[in-house]
Amino acid sequence: AVAQSSEAKESFSVSQYLKDLVLNLNPVIKKTNISVHIDCDGSLSMNSYPGAFAQVFTNLIMNSLTHAFDPGSDGAIIISAAERDLFIVIDYSDNGRGIRKEIQKRIFQSSGLMAYQKLKN
């Protein structure tokens, strides 16, 4: 089982952790026509905080399931991870409808990332 909150830093397999996370979310995912694809080398590991990692990806997946797709529509969520220049780069995407233009400028306000938005502008 994926630990949803853990303050301990530890080494874990990125691929296996994502697969376990998706397995834990399967009761919600299976009620949709959305598939989740994980593209990650099984040997890729990171030394980090698995609870925070799980929380971020749980929120991303749930947000896609809730907001990106019309009820009953088919779709896909793709999570890919790879090591690049001593960093692990994780790409998250879905093929949902996207964010309405009028909301795009406010997306960081509700997530507490207003400072990031100000720096970006």
Side-chain angles (χ1 to χ4, degrees):
V2 175
Q4 290 297 312
S5 62
S6 172
E7 294 183 26
K9 191 173 186 180
E10 62 183 79
S11 184
F12 57 92
S13 165
V14 175
S15 176
Q16 190 59 53
Y17 209 78
L18 287 169
K19 288 176 184 176
D20 290 346
L21 177 71
V22 170
L23 185 62
N24 282 347
L25 293 174
N26 196 46
V28 177
I29 296 169
K30 73 180 181 182
K31 294 177 184 175
T32 71
N33 294 330
I34 311 306
S35 58
V36 180
H37 304 277
I38 298 169
D39 179 19
C40 179
D41 184 328
S43 66
L44 184 64
S45 65
M46 68 185 333
N47 189 24
S48 189
Y49 301 92
F53 185 87
Q55 184 176 3
V56 167
F57 284 94
T58 297
N59 290 347
L60 286 169
I61 292 169
M62 292 305 297
N63 188 59
S64 289
L65 294 175
T66 303
H67 301 291
F69 303 99
D70 292 322
S73 66
D74 294 336
I77 295 169
I78 301 167
I79 305 170
S80 61
E83 185 176 351
R84 293 188 197 132
D85 300 323
L86 301 177
F87 291 94
I88 294 177
V89 177
I90 303 174
D91 292 315
Y92 179 95
S93 64
D94 65 51
N95 64 350
R97 62 178 162 254
I99 300 172
R100 293 191 323 259
K101 197 92 166 150
E102 63 271 14
I103 295 175
Q104 288 179 5
K105 292 183 179 185
R106 300 180 314 171
I107 61 173
F108 294 109
Q109 291 174 352
S110 63
S111 65
L113 297 175
M114 291 176 67
Y116 173 78
Q117 182 183 28
K118 288 178 184 176
L119 288 173
K120 190 176 170 193
N121 292 335

